[in-house]
Amino acid sequence: MNSKNPVTIKDIAKKFKCSPSTVSRALNNHPLINEDTRRNIQEYAQKVNYQRNSVSLSLRNKKSATLGVIVPTLNHFHETAMIEGLQSVLQIHGYMLAICVTNESYLLEKQYIDKLLANRVEGVFLSVSQETYDSGHYEHLDDMSQRNIPLIFIDREYDGVPNSSITVDDYLGAFAATEHLIQRGCRRIAHLKGPNGLAVSEQRFRGYKECLAKHSLDFDEELIATTNFKAESAIVPMRRLMSLPKPPDGVFGVNDYVSIAAMQVILDLGFSIPKQVAVIGFDNSPFSAYVNPSLSSVNRSSRILGEEAARLFLNNMEGQTQQKEHIILPPELIIRDSTLT
Amino acid sequence: MNSKNPVTIKDIAKKFKCSPSTVSRALNNHPLINEDTRRNIQEYAQKVNYQRNSVSLSLRNKKSATLGVIVPTLNHFHETAMIEGLQSVLQIHGYMLAICVTNESYLLEKQYIDKLLANRVEGVFLSVSQETYDSGHYEHLDDMSQRNIPLIFIDREYDGVPNSSITVDDYLGAFAATEHLIQRGCRRIAHLKGPNGLAVSEQRFRGYKECLAKHSLDFDEELIATTNFKAESAIVPMRRLMSLPKPPDGVFGVNDYVSIAAMQVILDLGFSIPKQVAVIGFDNSPFSAYVNPSLSSVNRSSRILGEEAARLFLNNMEGQTQQKEHIILPPELIIRDSTLT
DNA sequence: TGATTTTTTGCAAACGTTTGCAGTGAATCC
DNA sequence: GGATTCACTGCAAACGTTTGCAAAAAATCA
């Protein structure tokens, strides 16, 4: 019983003095099999706790029932909620998820893709790393398309390549956030943007800028500061902003982390939120409702994003449709105390 | 070039009019191979972008180079940081990580374990679900030990089973947090505990209680409230606590989410933090330094926990030592404004 | 009973590797 | 020049399944 090796179909065959084929058919409820043998074999298999070896199955069927998920980090609520969404749907369809964290490195991203391909995954959800985006290289993705393995861009898109993608409309979200600040009376709105070059950063930046333009507000370069998405990285820039001759009366942060760091700086310097400075973030992280003052934010429905991405993949599989889809989910403004009028 | 099927060792063999064995040896730098053939084959393999099929390798070697990670959720910083830690170490050693989210369900946990076993993973890191813990069932883990597949309890332990485990000393952390509150003058300390029965909850609860005892403070049942780790679940209980005839002057929350929710309630009701009520959380989540007031917390070095867990597994593999280890990492008190004197 | 159909089973190949063993030439030795 | 060594290479089996095809066994028919 405590044999190190799991019981195989051959073991069962030996026991019943029949061929492995028969066992296989019995276990798979193949129609061409005697009812009694089927029952006997199934019962015995149950008893000895037989478990089909997925590896050999994968080899034979050239299908691994495994999908790759490549993300830059797992730091943010958005990413993990996305993965939960993916898993919740794909689990039902029998897929396993191999998670890879690139830490924004191109090299790791490439290595992971190779590895996933070597493992014969049936599809990959990719949220491109910043380095990849910066470098503009995408040769490492060629193998996937050559082998007809669905590659779905999730969350972060990569304009150069024709693949299905699902993202949240960052531009729209940023536009809405900025417009909200304007409508509540802000006239000098600072933006704590994300790393340069990254699509999310630039889309949101564009949303911010174009909203200013729409409302005939001047775009002021000195109201822009760059962060790396982490709270710490917002502190120094925010101090600078607040010590300008004309400090901002509104701040749009590229995500909630930089926004709460910004709020802290603002309050520390003796300004009031939202009275003197209104602040709005992005992501609607679980903590945003509980900071003080509670933080307005742009909700991205991260979990739904994951679920939809999973469906995108499943449709692609079922229908064998090579049609590429580009889904852009609408963001949603969540208004809280930090931008109250 | 855009053949759907990846190039195999046989294809190369055909090209060179040699046997697959030779190709295999050439690619694996086997000593018994002609230098020229080796070079030629390797160059060609490179050119046609040959990638070894890990599936067949797994089948032959009975080794999948894949590890399973089972967690209840991905909601908390602690869990994701842990996974990042795992991945950062294991990636170097060529392992893939299959992530499974049980959503605290026993059934899913069981299913995932079966699935991982079917996939012939070489090891599993398990953070038991609440249901599993509640039910006391652990038969679903028997297969693993019978097959000698390392099962490592990570973060959440499961007392009944003799396996390696790595956790943070929840008891100690809770004790330290409570003691800190006492030392800064709190005398009526409430505890927002986690779900009943779950080890983490109970350990922290015990740390809290025994610390009170040590300092000869009465344990008052009415100062205890149960949450489900989520912020929302702390709100109603906290309102109750603050409307007691004698409201608490200190709150120890089972994690940072419930603690920030608690802070919000406290402030909303017009009490001041930390003057009237001090609050301390658990996890040192990235946002805890940036809420207002900043939240004292117990740091769990989550990433290091993951890294150490990975090393635990690697040692187990290398040395073939069946020795079970139980690592308990010390937590660290991070003091911020919410408990200042 | 013998022929025919039906039901059930087994054979063998395949998926892509690796590896012990045997075999092939060629080089070396005496 | 024949025996021995040496440097390579190929054969075949193995990992655990599935499945088309053929064969066997059982059932039906005439």
Side-chain angles (χ1 to χ4, degrees):
Chain A
M1 262 303 127
N2 47 11
S3 66
K4 241 183 123 166
N5 292 337
V7 33
T8 76
I9 226 170
K10 289 187 186 175
D11 300 332
I12 301 182
K14 221 169 280 172
K15 168 81 179 180
F16 281 84
K17 294 199 178 68
C18 69
S19 72
S21 338
T22 305
V23 179
S24 169
R25 281 190 267 253
L27 295 174
N28 291 318
N29 289 319
H30 195 281
L32 298 181
I33 188 97
N34 184 279
E35 190 51 46
D36 290 341
T37 33
R38 184 222 305 279
R39 198 164 16 78
N40 287 333
I41 289 181
Q42 287 193 352
E43 278 172 8
Y44 180 76
Q46 178 100 38
K47 207 185 79 190
V48 298
N49 192 23
Y50 166 79
Q51 276 178 322
R52 150 193 286 111
N53 182 335
S54 305
V55 177
S56 50
L57 237 196
S58 300
L59 181 58
R60 173 159 228 282
N61 299 346
K62 299 180 171 222
K63 289 200 168 195
S64 60
T66 301
L67 301 177
V69 181
I70 306 183
V71 288
T73 69
L74 289 174
N75 286 337
H76 306 97
F77 164 74
H78 177 63
E79 290 154 334
T80 57
M82 227 167 53
I83 295 176
E84 281 199 359
L86 278 173
Q87 168 115 20
S88 70
V89 173
L90 294 170
Q91 175 264 328
I92 296 167
H93 294 261
Y95 287 101
M96 294 254 76
L97 249 45
I99 306 277
C100 311
V101 182
T102 62
N103 213 13
E104 306 284 10
S105 142
Y106 168 75
L107 200 65
L108 266 183
E109 181 173 308
K110 184 171 154 55
Q111 281 178 10
Y112 276 127
I113 287 196
D114 284 350
K115 187 130 210 184
L116 290 171
L117 282 176
N119 276 83
R120 299 298 187 265
V121 293
E122 294 183 41
V124 171
F125 299 92
L126 172 61
S127 186
V128 286
S129 78
Q130 190 185 340
E131 268 186 39
T132 306
Y133 197 89
D134 288 349
S135 73
H137 283 256
Y138 52 91
E139 305 86 35
H140 60 309
L141 306 179
D142 290 350
D143 294 345
M144 309 217 63
S145 43
Q146 272 177 28
R147 295 199 196 160
N148 263 341
I149 297 178
L151 169 62
I152 294 176
F153 286 99
I154 182 167
D155 188 33
R156 291 186 184 179
E157 204 171 350
Y158 198 37
D159 304 327
V161 192
N163 280 289
S164 287
S165 67
I166 179 164
T167 52
V168 173
D169 197 328
D170 287 303
Y171 168 80
L172 222 63
F175 196 100
T178 311
E179 191 153 54
H180 170 61
L181 289 177
I182 294 173
Q183 278 167 354
R184 73 169 290 292
C186 298
R187 285 299 170 270
R188 263 179 81 68
I189 300 174
H191 177 41
L192 296 167
K193 78 189 288 280
N196 292 321
L198 208 56
V200 274
S201 310
E202 301 303 340
Q203 302 276 354
R204 292 181 195 170
F205 185 34
R206 195 165 59 86
Y208 158 83
K209 267 202 292 199
E210 296 192 4
C211 185
L212 292 188
K214 177 189 166 195
H215 290 270
S216 318
L217 290 180
D218 286 342
F219 168 68
D220 186 348
E221 187 74 56
E222 83 181 350
L223 290 180
I224 305 300
T226 305
T227 71
N228 66 2
F229 289 138
K230 304 205 176 195
E232 302 85 78
S233 68
I235 296 191
V236 172
M238 198 61 218
R239 288 220 187 93
R240 173 183 71 77
L241 287 169
M242 294 315 292
S243 53
L244 286 176
K246 282 171 132 191
D249 56 3
V251 176
F252 166 43
V254 71
N255 71 11
D256 291 334
Y257 280 112
V258 307
S259 301
I260 59 173
M263 290 211 296
Q264 192 183 63
V265 170
I266 294 168
L267 294 173
D268 276 0
L269 292 178
F271 296 87
S272 77
I273 302 175
K275 210 166 178 189
Q276 291 176 280
V277 189
V279 180
I280 189 164
F282 213 108
D283 271 1
N284 191 26
S285 313
F287 58 80
S288 53
Y290 298 95
V291 296
N292 178 26
S294 61
L295 177 67
S296 297
S297 193
V298 178
N299 185 35
R300 289 208 263 170
S301 313
S302 316
R303 200 173 209 284
I304 292 173
L305 186 85
E307 292 169 2
E308 287 303 318
R311 293 212 184 85
L312 208 57
F313 167 80
L314 291 171
N315 290 343
N316 199 329
M317 281 288 94
E318 282 176 15
Q320 293 297 2
T321 163
Q322 293 309 338
Q323 203 105 355
K324 303 302 178 194
E325 286 189 66
H326 294 274
I327 298 182
I328 302 185
L329 299 178
E332 180 196 5
L333 210 52
I334 308 285
I335 299 176
R336 299 203 181 89
D337 293 348
S338 67
T339 58
L340 279 191
T341 34
Chain B
M1 260 303 127
N2 47 10
S3 65
K4 239 184 127 166
N5 292 336
V7 34
T8 78
I9 225 171
K10 289 186 187 175
D11 299 332
I12 301 184
K14 218 169 283 169
K15 169 79 180 181
F16 281 83
K17 296 197 177 70
C18 68
S19 71
S21 339
T22 304
V23 179
S24 169
R25 280 191 267 254
L27 295 174
N28 291 318
N29 289 319
H30 195 283
L32 299 182
I33 188 97
N34 184 280
E35 191 50 45
D36 289 343
T37 30
R38 184 220 305 279
R39 196 163 19 76
N40 286 335
I41 291 181
Q42 288 194 351
E43 277 173 8
Y44 181 74
Q46 178 97 39
K47 205 184 83 191
V48 298
N49 193 21
Y50 167 79
Q51 275 177 322
R52 141 190 297 111
N53 182 335
S54 306
V55 177
S56 51
L57 238 194
S58 299
L59 181 59
R60 172 158 230 280
N61 300 346
K62 300 180 168 220
K63 290 200 166 192
S64 61
T66 301
L67 301 176
V69 181
I70 307 183
V71 289
T73 69
L74 288 175
N75 285 337
H76 306 98
F77 163 73
H78 178 63
E79 291 155 332
T80 55
M82 226 168 54
I83 294 176
E84 281 200 357
L86 278 174
Q87 168 117 19
S88 70
V89 173
L90 293 169
Q91 173 265 328
I92 296 168
H93 293 261
Y95 287 101
M96 293 256 74
L97 250 45
I99 305 277
C100 312
V101 182
T102 63
N103 214 12
E104 305 284 10
S105 145
Y106 168 75
L107 201 65
L108 266 183
E109 181 174 307
K110 184 171 153 56
Q111 281 178 11
Y112 276 128
I113 287 196
D114 284 350
K115 188 130 208 180
L116 290 172
L117 282 176
N119 275 82
R120 299 297 188 265
V121 292
E122 294 183 42
V124 171
F125 298 92
L126 172 60
S127 187
V128 286
S129 78
Q130 191 184 340
E131 268 187 39
T132 306
Y133 198 91
D134 288 349
S135 73
H137 284 257
Y138 53 90
E139 305 87 33
H140 61 309
L141 306 179
D142 289 351
D143 294 345
M144 308 216 63
S145 42
Q146 273 177 28
R147 295 200 196 160
N148 262 340
I149 297 177
L151 171 63
I152 294 176
F153 286 100
I154 183 167
D155 188 32
R156 293 186 182 179
E157 205 171 350
Y158 197 36
D159 303 329
V161 192
N163 281 288
S164 288
S165 67
I166 179 163
T167 53
V168 172
D169 197 329
D170 286 303
Y171 169 79
L172 221 64
F175 197 100
T178 312
E179 192 153 55
H180 169 61
L181 289 176
I182 295 173
Q183 278 167 354
R184 73 168 290 291
C186 299
R187 286 298 170 270
R188 265 179 80 69
I189 300 174
H191 177 41
L192 298 167
K193 78 188 289 280
N196 293 320
L198 208 56
V200 275
S201 310
E202 300 303 340
Q203 301 277 354
R204 291 180 196 172
F205 186 34
R206 194 164 60 83
Y208 158 83
K209 268 203 291 200
E210 296 193 6
C211 184
L212 292 188
K214 177 189 166 194
H215 290 271
S216 319
L217 291 179
D218 286 342
F219 168 69
D220 187 348
E221 187 74 54
E222 84 179 351
L223 290 179
I224 306 301
T226 303
T227 71
N228 66 3
F229 290 138
K230 301 203 180 199
E232 302 85 77
S233 68
I235 295 191
V236 173
M238 199 61 219
R239 288 221 186 91
R240 175 183 70 77
L241 286 168
M242 294 314 293
S243 53
L244 285 175
K246 282 171 131 189
D249 55 3
V251 176
F252 166 43
V254 71
N255 71 11
D256 292 333
Y257 280 111
V258 308
S259 302
I260 59 173
M263 290 211 296
Q264 191 183 65
V265 171
I266 294 168
L267 293 173
D268 276 0
L269 293 178
F271 297 88
S272 76
I273 301 175
K275 212 167 179 189
Q276 291 175 282
V277 189
V279 180
I280 188 166
F282 214 108
D283 272 2
N284 191 29
S285 312
F287 58 80
S288 53
Y290 297 95
V291 295
N292 178 27
S294 60
L295 176 66
S296 297
S297 193
V298 179
N299 185 36
R300 289 209 263 170
S301 313
S302 315
R303 200 172 210 281
I304 292 174
L305 186 86
E307 292 170 1
E308 287 303 318
R311 293 211 185 84
L312 208 58
F313 167 79
L314 292 172
N315 291 342
N316 200 329
M317 281 289 95
E318 282 177 16
Q320 293 298 2
T321 165
Q322 294 307 341
Q323 202 104 358
K324 303 300 180 197
E325 286 188 65
H326 294 275
I327 297 182
I328 303 185
L329 298 178
E332 182 196 3
L333 208 54
I334 307 285
I335 300 176
R336 299 203 180 88
D337 293 348
S338 67
T339 61
L340 277 190
T341 36

